[in-house]
Amino acid sequence: MATSLTSVLIIYTGGTIGMAQNPVTGALEPFNFHHLLDNVPELRLLGSSISTIQFEPPIDSSEIEPSQWARLVYLISENYDLFDGFVVLHGTDTMAYTASAVSFMLENLSKPVIFTGSQLPIGVLRTDGKENLITAIEIASAKYPDGKPVVPEVCIFFENSLMRGNRTSKISAENFNAFASPNYPLLAQVGVHISYDESEIRRPDETKPLKAHYSMDNNIAVLKLYPGISRQAVHQILGIPGLKGVVMETFGAGNAPKCEWFLTELREAIQRGIVIVNVTQCNSGSVQMGLYSTGNTLLGCGVLSGYDSTTEAAIAKLMFLFGHGLSPEEVAKAMNRSFVGEITIPDE
Ligand code: ASP
């Protein structure tokens, strides 16, 4: 029996991966993804039919804004029925933010959306781009014998590791191993074989149709605490006109100073309807606000636990929820729920 070829759409948004050296001048120039198969002939060996779309012009990911997340979501949803999986090529700098945002914006996703990029351009000799691209396509094409995709999630694949996108952070500006998923296990490890950890991969309800969301509200700020932070700094951030949500990066398991001026600033902001979410500055671990009196006091002021969320996912989630016009009370309630596996709530 003939099996139909798996089809993958590659969306190139920009970033280092899409660069090649001009053989004459030696300069790095954006590579034309419409000629991908000529430039990466290895792709012909994959058993997938590959189509490409590229952002015009390609953008460095440090320039990405929610409007480009919406563009990406639009491209995926418009092509959703035509392809088995999607590979998004994106600069590494803000890939964790985009993957987090897109994971919320593509409600009921039941196909793979695999982000990747590279530290070295695809057109230079020691590039990590080819391997990342080829494996990302393999993962986006992977199906069980019954035709269901192996990884129906928004993920980042980078240097041997497949991670849930909204659990990632960029951890190195130098190493090929540039991303980590500190609070959630890898979804697959890639060596000679791709070994999937099926128990950690989300299984969506495939009967529900994809629902694309486009509206993100960027009236959000990050307040990173440090010893000696001044009242003026806290006051100015919490007083930003139109501010709706704050991701507060605290110490350790969610601790912050207990001095009265600080607590007063927080209480007043919360009374004004600002939602404040507590995430840890540590690279891994979870906020446990009941653990120390310093964390407990925050709870008493109305600060919410961000559990083990990354800052990237907490920002994206607040933008998404406020983008839907929810009230502060509704947002506060929703922050205590895992939407797409972005947080671990104890006892869940
Ligand atoms: N500045 C680049 C970007 O994020 C770096 C990269 O692609 O890795 O677009």
Side-chain angles (χ1 to χ4, degrees):
M1 192 178 69
T3 48
S4 62
L5 214 57
T6 308
S7 57
V8 173
L9 178 63
I10 299 178
I11 304 172
Y12 173 58
T13 65
T16 301
I17 192 168
M19 304 273 169
Q21 213 151 20
N22 180 314
V24 181
T25 63
L28 286 175
E29 293 171 353
F31 158 123
N32 186 341
F33 268 77
H34 299 303
H35 300 143
L36 184 64
L37 288 176
D38 301 334
N39 287 286
V40 192
E42 297 89 330
L43 294 180
R44 291 184 211 279
L45 302 173
L46 290 171
S48 309
S49 117
I50 295 166
S51 304
T52 56
I53 299 184
Q54 92 178 50
F55 273 26
E56 293 293 357
I59 32 181
D60 186 289
S61 80
S62 44
E63 310 233 50
I64 286 268
E65 294 198 4
S67 58
Q68 273 109 20
W69 296 341
R71 191 164 157 200
L72 194 51
V73 165
Y74 175 77
L75 289 174
I76 294 171
S77 70
E78 279 297 289
N79 289 286
Y80 196 64
D81 295 332
L82 304 175
F83 293 90
D84 297 299
F86 300 84
V87 169
V88 180
L89 301 178
H90 192 287
T92 56
D93 290 349
T94 62
M95 193 189 291
Y97 290 89
T98 303
S100 296
V102 168
S103 75
F104 295 114
M105 295 164 87
L106 290 172
E107 187 180 344
N108 301 331
L109 178 75
S110 61
K111 293 186 178 184
V113 174
I114 313 298
F115 280 74
T116 196
S118 65
Q119 294 283 55
L120 281 176
I122 209 159
V124 307
L125 211 51
R126 279 193 318 107
T127 186
D128 51 333
K130 276 193 187 179
E131 233 174 271
N132 285 349
L133 173 62
I134 291 166
T135 311
I137 295 171
E138 274 199 66
I139 293 168
S141 319
K143 286 185 191 175
Y144 289 114
D146 65 1
K148 292 192 175 158
V150 177
V151 193
E153 291 207 36
V154 176
C155 298
I156 289 185
F157 173 73
F158 220 88
E159 179 70 2
N160 305 334
S161 300
L162 182 70
M163 296 158 272
R164 177 170 297 156
N166 56 37
R167 291 292 197 153
T168 59
S169 295
K170 183 172 179 180
I171 52 158
S172 175
E174 164 74 21
N175 294 344
F176 285 154
N177 192 356
F179 288 88
S181 168
N183 289 331
Y184 197 77
L186 298 181
L187 304 187
Q189 297 202 52
V190 178
V192 174
H193 301 289
I194 302 180
S195 118
Y196 294 98
D197 187 343
E198 291 175 27
S199 62
E200 302 298 350
I201 297 172
R202 289 187 86 236
R203 302 267 33 124
D205 178 351
E206 290 141 20
T207 60
K208 293 188 178 163
L210 179 77
K211 192 167 171 202
H213 298 271
Y214 298 105
S215 165
M216 299 293 266
D217 188 332
N218 68 352
N219 285 299
I220 305 297
V222 176
L223 170 59
K224 180 166 184 158
L225 301 185
Y226 48 89
I229 191 168
S230 69
R231 180 167 196 169
Q232 171 84 336
V234 173
H235 185 77
Q236 291 296 331
I237 291 175
L238 296 179
I240 294 170
L243 187 69
K244 293 183 180 165
V246 172
V247 177
M248 184 165 73
E249 287 196 354
T250 57
F251 308 120
N255 304 311
K258 283 202 296 181
C259 54
E260 206 35 55
W261 70 257
F262 179 68
L263 301 176
T264 302
E265 292 289 343
L266 295 181
R267 272 192 218 103
E268 287 179 2
I270 292 165
Q271 272 159 19
R272 293 196 300 274
I274 294 171
V275 172
I276 305 182
V277 182
N278 183 355
V279 303
T280 177
Q281 300 182 5
C282 296
N283 291 337
S284 66
S286 182
V287 157
Q288 289 172 270
M289 282 158 76
L291 198 60
Y292 295 95
S293 74
T294 41
N296 216 8
T297 312
L298 293 180
L299 209 53
C301 293
V303 172
L304 304 174
S305 174
Y307 302 95
D308 58 350
S309 180
T310 60
T311 296
E312 294 88 329
I315 292 171
K317 192 168 175 180
L318 284 174
M319 285 189 180
F320 175 78
L321 294 170
F322 281 115
H324 285 73
L326 299 191
S327 68
E329 295 71 30
E330 289 168 324
V331 171
K333 216 167 146 201
M335 290 305 289
N336 279 309
R337 179 157 82 77
S338 167
F339 279 55
V340 272
E342 72 282 5
I343 48 174
T344 314
I345 298 182
D347 302 318
E348 258 210 342

